[in-house]
Amino acid sequence: MKRIVFCIMFIATAVAAFPKSSVEMVSRPDTKAKNANYVSNRVPLVEAAFIKLPVGSVQPGGWVRKYLELQRDGLTGHLGEISAWLEKKNNAWISAEGKGDHGWEEVPYWLKGYGNLAYILNDPAMIAETKIWIEAVLNSQRENGYFGPWIEKNGKPDLWGNMIMLWCLQSYYEFSGDKRVLPFMTNYFRWENQLDDSLFLKDYWENSRGGDNLLSVYWLYNITGDKFLLELGEKIHRNTADWTQKDNLPNWHNVNIAQSFREPATYYLQSRDKAHLDATYNDFNLIRRLYGQVPGGMFGADENARKGYCDPRQGVETCGMVEQMSSDEILLRITGDPFWADNCEDVAFNTYPAAVMPDFRALRYITSPNMAMSDSRNHRPGIDNGGPFLMMNPFSSRCCQHNHAQGWPYYAENMWMATPDNGLLAALYGESTVTAKVGKGKTVSIEQHTNYPFEEKIQFVVKEGNNLAFPLYLRVPKWAKQSIAVTVTAANGNTETSELKPEGNYVKISRVWSKGDHVELSMPMTLTVQTWKDNGNSVSVNYGPLTFSLRIEEFYKRRSSVETAIGDSKWQPTADPSQWPSYEIYPASPWNYALLPQDFKIVKKEYPKDNMPFTLDNVPIAIQAQGVRLYDWTIDEHGLCAFVPQSPVQVAGGKIEDITLVPMGAARLRISAFPTVAK
């Protein structure tokens, strides 16, 4: 009898030690659950589908980490030494009284990227620099609760710069746990709450972007539970520009749209009115229906969208790209809809990389899906900007120069998220390690190994943690149309493989996890051709999450940043402009091809050892295709490639040539929306 009992106990122990996994497709995690490990939405706010992990919880690897290191060593890391707007002498953000001759959006724009970059890389010098600014801000609070520079316009306070600085303080609190932040923000929000509506959020920028203020209010409410913050939330919404209009937007400025369209969905957390959530989707679709019939996830607004200017040669500010990525990350957390992660990847892989120089020491103010020239010429009215807005310039504009810093740090932070049921989500795939609390408060560390988006397989390995019961969610991208394979291998070698049809949004793996457990996710990529009916029936070519552009050989012409600086940029007196040159980029090969949208061949090569896949020489994947040159598709009188010809194009007698397509994120000159050849 004892032997039987012993055998039963042994079998039970073995089953507990090596449990089988539950692998299923789900639409969303269970938001009726409440995460016990991380601050999530308090009643009466709607429970968010996913929860942001504190900055530093995710350590990116691969090309994302390489980009962060290049930012550190490039413009982001050195702007404090060269940008006049960041000079500490007489800077109103440094002054305890908020007085000085400069101090608006530039410091917090830069700091919210620079600080998060410092925290992720755990760079002591950068953290120390960040704390200089944070301490100055904390020391600037007046008795009435206001902080920072006092900027008044038409007798009303301009609070836009403060909105951005609040985000800097939130990240600092996540990283440091400095308890001074909470009463500081509480006192400031009490000041905002007593401000008469006639004085609140009336200037153009703050009025458009009140949603940023609203997010900070909810962030604090979830920690402190102060009821007046909900009253302030209502006040912010009613005084913010109306982003709930059915067929119109409050204004057509590209950054305002990319940043502010999320405001109704943010307020939905409090109102619980689905019309607010629907309004955000409507805004996204409206701008893209009118001006977004282009590849790359963005829309053709230049600085401001204009009727009649919707061709893929129209572009978007670098500010707009990083704000769109941030909006997508926030909306993924609010809604759980992977649509937002898909769009974030579209911008991050296909549009944003080409907006900066590979060494991250210069950027371009406007980048377009079709861009045959990147020079210092004034291209107005072809684009909605007068000046050298198409060249690579460390001083392209005082906004993008500072604001672009947030793009990759925020992306890295959102690669992993917590779930309401005490699990984890791999949200944005990429080489990374997440260390987080799961289940009943135990810590797990999971490594993700992949060269995504350049390969189909993603591997996850539990590096730390034993006997931890929690669900692991893996996002299913919209491009994954074929069956997905999920293989779970226990530390003892036991393997389970599941073939799943992509009929849900997430793979959910429920299991008792232990060190050495391994998951492999395989999502076969396929080649697709997308037609942009409203832009001349032009087409773009995709492979998985990557969109491809004609490979145009690029000739870089170095220019003086002093001579080509955009009007509102300024140098510090001690800066050496020769160390920060500008570049014009000219085509050194033909660009004006119509595409034969058939007989494509995928060509793969070894992934670059330097983790720089978004350059012409390093791309690990290309597509061999065929095209016919259109000699009458030329550079027009504005110095831009003329509007894309209506497809199909008649090219009787035209020579068919072999052409190469490369990921458009690697192409700083590019044709990504092609006319097609008539059969």
Side-chain angles (χ1 to χ4, degrees):
M1 184 67 180
K2 289 182 178 180
R3 181 175 294 178
I4 294 173
V5 172
F6 174 80
C7 289
I8 292 172
M9 291 176 63
F10 176 82
I11 292 170
T13 302
V15 171
F18 308 113
K20 287 190 174 182
S21 307
S22 168
V23 181
E24 59 182 326
M25 297 290 297
V26 298
S27 175
R28 299 283 198 282
D30 181 10
T31 55
K32 294 179 182 178
K34 189 76 172 179
N35 192 289
N37 303 311
Y38 295 102
V39 175
S40 53
N41 287 352
R42 283 178 180 261
V43 174
L45 300 184
V46 173
E47 186 64 53
F50 302 116
I51 303 157
K52 182 182 179 297
L53 294 170
V55 59
S57 302
V58 180
Q59 285 295 308
W63 65 266
V64 177
R65 187 169 193 88
K66 179 70 172 183
Y67 269 20
L68 295 180
E69 292 170 347
L70 287 168
Q71 276 197 263
R72 174 197 64 198
D73 300 336
L75 197 58
T76 298
H78 291 278
L79 264 181
E81 306 160 20
I82 60 178
S83 166
W85 307 107
L86 304 186
E87 187 174 10
K88 293 185 177 70
K89 182 180 179 181
N90 210 26
N91 192 309
W93 283 108
I94 292 290
S95 166
E97 294 79 29
K99 296 180 180 179
D101 58 18
H102 57 290
W104 189 45
E105 67 179 8
E106 296 81 18
V107 167
Y109 255 167
W110 164 76
L111 190 62
K112 73 175 182 175
Y114 180 92
N116 286 37
L117 181 61
Y119 308 144
I120 294 169
L121 296 179
N122 200 23
D123 186 295
M126 294 180 69
I127 292 172
E129 176 68 15
T130 300
K131 289 188 71 173
I132 291 173
W133 294 96
I134 294 294
E135 288 295 333
V137 170
L138 292 174
N139 290 331
S140 74
Q141 191 158 52
R142 287 44 141 201
E143 289 186 5
N144 64 2
Y146 187 85
F147 72 91
W150 178 261
I151 300 174
E152 192 172 298
K153 296 179 180 178
N154 299 316
K156 303 176 180 64
D158 176 8
L159 307 181
W160 162 232
N162 292 42
M163 292 186 199
I164 319 172
M165 189 58 79
L166 290 170
W167 284 37
C168 302
L169 292 170
Q170 290 159 213
S171 292
Y172 170 68
Y173 177 82
E174 288 180 15
F175 177 75
S176 68
D178 190 331
K179 295 182 179 179
R180 294 178 297 168
V181 171
L182 303 183
F184 178 94
M185 290 180 63
T186 299
N187 291 335
Y188 176 69
F189 287 144
R190 289 193 185 281
W191 176 85
E192 281 194 333
N193 202 38
Q194 61 79 39
L195 197 63
D196 191 83
D197 277 25
S198 64
L199 303 174
F200 189 52
L201 304 183
K202 300 307 177 189
D203 187 59
Y204 176 72
W205 300 113
E206 61 176 359
N207 181 251
S208 292
R209 302 170 180 180
D212 281 26
N213 202 153
L214 188 60
L215 276 166
S216 294
V217 167
Y218 292 159
W219 179 89
L220 185 63
Y221 172 73
N222 288 331
I223 296 173
T224 68
D226 286 339
K227 299 297 185 184
F228 86 91
L229 293 169
L230 297 178
E231 179 184 336
L232 178 57
E234 294 175 349
K235 176 177 180 175
I236 291 170
H237 176 69
R238 70 173 177 264
N239 284 284
T240 296
D242 184 5
W243 293 94
T244 67
Q245 304 171 59
K246 182 180 179 181
D247 297 311
N248 189 34
L249 298 177
N251 59 73
W252 296 89
H253 183 273
N254 79 101
V255 183
N256 283 347
I257 297 167
Q259 180 173 3
S260 306
F261 83 100
R262 67 175 181 253
E263 189 276 339
T266 304
Y267 186 61
Y268 158 76
L269 294 173
Q270 182 173 353
S271 73
R272 295 178 171 264
D273 184 346
K274 190 173 179 294
H276 289 128
L277 184 61
D278 292 343
T280 284
Y281 282 88
N282 179 67
D283 288 346
F284 180 94
N285 293 324
L286 175 63
I287 186 65
R288 282 159 181 80
R289 185 172 71 248
L290 297 177
Y291 301 102
Q293 296 299 299
V294 293
M298 293 301 299
F299 44 89
D302 303 326
E303 185 163 325
N304 295 284
R306 299 170 294 161
K307 290 183 179 179
Y309 291 84
C310 56
D311 187 83
R313 76 177 191 174
Q314 312 304 142
V316 68
E317 288 184 44
T318 303
C319 276
M321 301 170 198
V322 298
E323 292 292 357
Q324 181 66 54
M325 289 165 59
S326 179
S327 290
D328 290 333
E329 293 150 8
I330 291 165
L331 289 168
L332 174 63
R333 299 198 301 265
I334 289 175
T335 67
D337 188 345
F339 171 87
W340 300 112
D342 290 327
N343 186 253
C344 185
E345 286 190 347
D346 200 357
V347 178
F349 301 157
N350 300 314
T351 295
Y352 183 35
V356 298
M357 287 287 285
D359 61 5
F360 277 74
R361 295 176 70 86
L363 69 147
R364 188 161 47 198
Y365 186 68
I366 298 289
T367 299
S368 310
N370 283 2
M371 197 164 195
M373 198 87 71
S374 182
D375 59 8
S376 60
R377 176 178 169 180
N378 183 352
H379 294 272
R380 197 167 192 172
I383 64 169
D384 184 43
N385 301 89
F389 283 93
L390 296 190
M391 74 180 305
M392 292 289 185
N393 197 321
F395 288 87
S396 66
S397 175
R398 62 193 281 191
C399 57
C400 294
Q401 176 194 25
H402 300 87
N403 191 29
H404 85 284
Q406 70 168 291
W408 293 121
Y410 280 14
Y411 183 88
E413 289 178 56
N414 285 280
M415 294 174 78
W416 290 85
M417 298 176 182
T419 62
D421 51 1
N422 297 314
L424 289 174
L425 163 71
L428 302 169
Y429 294 122
E431 189 83 8
S432 59
T433 300
V434 62
T435 302
K437 292 181 179 180
V438 293
K440 297 181 179 180
K442 300 292 183 65
T443 298
V444 70
S445 182
I446 302 175
E447 289 182 354
Q448 181 179 169
H449 299 292
T450 182
N451 289 321
Y452 187 87
F454 301 97
E455 68 179 24
E456 302 170 333
K457 291 185 177 180
I458 305 166
Q459 298 179 344
F460 304 88
V461 181
V462 179
K463 299 302 290 185
E464 298 294 338
N466 283 304
N467 297 319
L468 302 179
F470 68 92
L472 175 65
Y473 292 83
L474 310 177
R475 180 177 63 87
V476 180
K478 67 177 179 181
W479 56 260
K481 303 299 184 184
Q482 299 185 14
S483 292
I484 298 165
V486 179
T487 300
V488 181
T489 303
N492 71 337
N494 287 353
T495 298
E496 313 160 52
T497 298
S498 302
E499 294 284 340
L500 302 170
K501 292 183 179 180
E503 296 174 345
N505 296 325
Y506 302 94
V507 176
K508 179 183 179 182
I509 308 172
S510 300
R511 176 182 175 82
V512 178
W513 301 88
S514 289
K515 183 176 180 179
D517 287 353
H518 181 282
V519 175
E520 181 176 277
L521 172 66
S522 179
M523 299 183 293
M525 295 182 184
T526 56
L527 192 148
T528 60
V529 176
Q530 183 170 357
T531 299
W532 303 96
K533 182 179 178 182
D534 292 337
N535 255 333
N537 281 327
S538 57
V539 300
S540 56
V541 181
N542 312 299
Y543 184 70
L546 295 172
T547 301
F548 284 72
S549 171
L550 177 69
R551 180 185 174 108
I552 304 171
E553 299 304 320
E554 299 168 353
F555 171 71
Y556 286 77
K557 181 179 179 181
R558 179 168 171 155
R559 295 290 306 275
S560 164
S561 293
V562 175
E563 295 175 2
T564 59
I566 290 175
D568 62 356
S569 62
K570 293 181 181 180
W571 297 84
Q572 290 185 25
T574 57
D576 182 359
S578 68
Q579 300 300 309
W580 301 91
S582 299
Y583 289 93
E584 294 178 312
I585 312 175
Y586 294 95
S589 62
W591 59 267
N592 47 351
Y593 284 94
L595 187 67
L596 278 68
Q598 58 196 19
D599 299 328
F600 297 114
K601 181 183 178 182
I602 303 292
V603 179
K604 296 183 180 181
K605 64 179 184 180
E606 185 179 1
Y607 185 81
K609 291 183 173 58
D610 63 359
N611 274 318
M612 286 290 288
F614 287 105
T615 61
L616 289 183
D617 293 335
N618 277 4
V619 287
I621 186 170
I623 297 174
Q624 296 299 324
Q626 291 185 318
V628 177
R629 282 195 68 184
L630 303 180
Y631 288 92
D632 56 353
W633 187 21
T634 61
I635 300 296
D636 72 0
E637 68 274 17
H638 303 304
L640 304 169
C641 59
F643 292 163
V644 63
Q646 179 72 36
S647 294
V649 181
Q650 300 293 332
V651 287
K655 180 183 177 181
I656 296 177
E657 301 180 41
D658 293 330
I659 58 175
T660 300
L661 310 183
V662 296
M664 66 182 283
R668 284 154 183 84
L669 295 183
R670 55 206 196 164
I671 298 296
S672 306
F674 292 89
T676 59
V677 177
K679 295 182 180 180

